[in-house]
């Protein structure tokens, strides 16, 4: 069971905490969270006389979240000392009004919000403004019930992991049992084909943000998923200080940018449209790179992925 989380408005960066005890900004009861689910739609077909059917495509659509909680306020020790007991009700009511105002600004149907649970998060848009209780039992001078509804177009829980920096390695060129011909045999090719193991502990393959930084002249860098053979080549000679960022995540963010010092310019002119938008499968994925001028030592590559899960163990 999730006992606490953060909601952040992605436009204003305003954030509040919600949880199951009064230390949080807003509280909810045991049954106050409905995380919804990741709905799947299967497209099927069958032939005449066939028993059963075949699934030829599966679509995973958005998740609906509902949070039922309470706006509350508990006076601090200082406030208890500063106010007469008869004035506590007015103090609490005013503070509840302030917290309602903050919640109304946070839950804006025009803005994306992020729900952070530990190292995972969901993103979506409220489907309406905050709905408050309309009876005295639900809305009074001591507390006020509220309901928040959020539609998450991507139903997956995302995890942010630290970028991985590629380190030097060798590319093996033989397998056992080994038969050596008269002409000799190339045992290993040292090309500074730098290799990293990218760990995806999620439930689905994901794209990533791949950043290339040059510390000298680097010609036409290549990035390859060794497991699948997916790769891309950037037809650009990079100078010292140049940066290229390739975003292979599916959706609106997918693309390539670059520049000197920071990546601000559209770099699709250096992109071969036969390139692959590399994905990182479940488990450990080996990724390597090389360059046309053997300048791998002058290129730093970092890879950032966000593993995705259909559900969390804490739910």
């Amino acid at each position: 069971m999730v006992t606490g989380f953060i909601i952040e408005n992605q436009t204003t960066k305003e954030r509040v905490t919600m949880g199951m005890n009064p230390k949080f900004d807003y509280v909810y009861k045991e049954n106050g969270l409905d995380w919804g689910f990741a709905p799947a739609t299967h497209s099927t077909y069958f032939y005449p006389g066939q028993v059963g059917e075949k699934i030829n495509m599966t679509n995973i659509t958005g998740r609906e979240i509902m949070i039922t909680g309470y706006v509350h306020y508990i006076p601090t020790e200082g406030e208890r000392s500063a106010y007469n007991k008869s004035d506590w009700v007015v103090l609490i009511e005013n503070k509840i009004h302030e917290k309602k105002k903050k919640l109304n600004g946070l839950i804006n149907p025009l803005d994306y919000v992020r729900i952070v649970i530990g190292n995972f998060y969901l993103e979506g848009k409220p489907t309406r403004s905050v709905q408050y209780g309309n009876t005295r039992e639900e809305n009074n001078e001591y507390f006020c019930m509220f309901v928040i509804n959020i539609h998450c177009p991507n139903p997956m829980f995302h995890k942010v992991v630290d970028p991985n920096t590629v380190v030097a390695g060798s590319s093996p060129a033989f397998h056992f049992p080994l038969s050596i011909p008269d002409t000799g045999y190339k045992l290993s090719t040292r090309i500074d084909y730098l290799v990293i193991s990218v760990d995806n502990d999620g439930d689905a393959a994901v794209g990533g943000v791949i950043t290339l930084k040059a510390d000298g002249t680097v010609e036409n860098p290549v990035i390859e998923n060794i497991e699948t053979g997916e790769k891309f080549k950037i037809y650009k000679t990079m100078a010292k200080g140049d940066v290229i960022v390739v975003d292979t995540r599916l959706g609106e963010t997918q693309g390539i940018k670059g520049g000197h010092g920071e990546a601000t310019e559209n770099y699709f002119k250096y992109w071969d449209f036969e390139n692959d938008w590399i994905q990182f499968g479940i488990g450990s994925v080996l990724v390597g790179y090389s360059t046309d001028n053997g300048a791998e030592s002058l290129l730093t590559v970092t890879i950032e992925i966000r593993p995705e899960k259909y559900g969390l163990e804490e739910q």
Side-chain angles (χ1 to χ4, degrees), residues 212-215 236-244 259-261 267:
L212 293 74
K213 295 182 179 180
D215 194 36
K236 171 85 167 71
T237 297
M238 300 176 69
K240 183 176 182 179
D242 283 354
V243 178
I244 297 176
H260 187 78
Y267 263 31

Side-chain angles (χ1 to χ4, degrees), residues 8-14 106 111-115 123:
E8 180 180 80
N9 183 302
Q10 293 300 281
T11 300
T12 65
K13 298 306 178 182
E14 190 76 37
L106 185 81
D111 298 336
Y112 274 95
V113 295
R114 175 175 291 189
I115 302 174
E123 282 189 348

Side-chain angles (χ1 to χ4, degrees), residues 34-246:
D34 182 354
W35 293 109
F37 51 87
T41 303
H42 303 297
S43 176
T44 63
Y45 69 92
F46 62 89
Y47 298 105
Q50 176 180 324
V51 177
E53 56 190 8
K54 299 284 188 180
I55 295 177
N56 66 339
M57 184 172 60
T58 298
N59 290 320
I60 308 293
T61 53
R63 177 192 299 265
E64 304 296 332
I65 294 175
M66 184 169 72
I67 303 167
T68 304
Y70 295 88
V71 184
H72 73 294
Y73 187 76
I74 299 175
T76 65
E77 288 298 327
E79 289 170 335
R80 290 173 186 268
S81 301
Y83 289 85
N84 294 324
K85 198 168 185 178
S86 58
D87 296 328
W88 287 2
V89 173
V90 176
L91 170 67
I92 293 171
E93 190 173 18
N94 289 338
K95 292 293 185 180
I96 286 177
H97 287 168
E98 291 176 11
K99 294 179 73 172
K100 281 184 178 179
K101 182 178 180 180
K102 186 172 185 178
L103 193 61
N104 290 338
L106 185 81
I107 305 302
N108 183 340
L110 295 176
D111 298 336
Y112 274 95
V113 295
R114 175 175 291 189
I115 302 174
V116 183
I117 309 132
N119 292 325
F120 288 85
Y121 69 89
L122 285 159
E123 282 189 348
K125 276 191 171 185
T127 57
R128 59 183 178 183
S129 58
V130 182
Q131 179 184 0
Y132 294 105
N134 55 14
T135 66
R136 181 158 180 79
E137 289 76 18
E138 299 173 341
N139 190 344
N140 52 60
E141 62 269 27
Y142 297 104
F143 63 85
C144 178
M145 189 183 81
F146 65 81
V147 177
I148 296 171
N149 298 90
I150 299 172
H151 172 71
C152 300
N154 185 332
M156 306 296 280
F157 291 87
H158 309 278
K159 180 182 180 182
V160 178
V161 296
D162 292 333
N164 298 288
T165 303
V166 177
V167 295
S170 295
S171 178
F174 67 94
H175 302 277
F176 289 102
L178 179 63
S179 176
I180 302 178
D182 294 338
T183 55
Y185 201 96
K186 184 184 294 184
L187 295 180
S188 182
T189 305
R190 174 66 181 184
I191 57 171
D192 275 349
Y193 189 84
L194 310 187
V195 177
I196 187 174
S197 176
V198 178
D199 295 323
N200 177 4
D201 59 358
D203 298 329
V206 296
V209 178
I210 303 168
T211 303
L212 293 74
K213 295 182 179 180
D215 194 36
T217 302
V218 175
E219 296 179 4
N220 306 332
V222 176
I223 306 293
E224 180 176 1
N225 181 331
I226 300 172
E227 309 285 330
T228 65
E230 293 177 319
K231 64 181 178 180
F232 62 76
K233 186 170 187 176
I234 302 169
Y235 290 88
K236 171 85 167 71
T237 297
M238 300 176 69
K240 183 176 182 179
D242 283 354
V243 178
I244 297 176
V245 177
V246 180

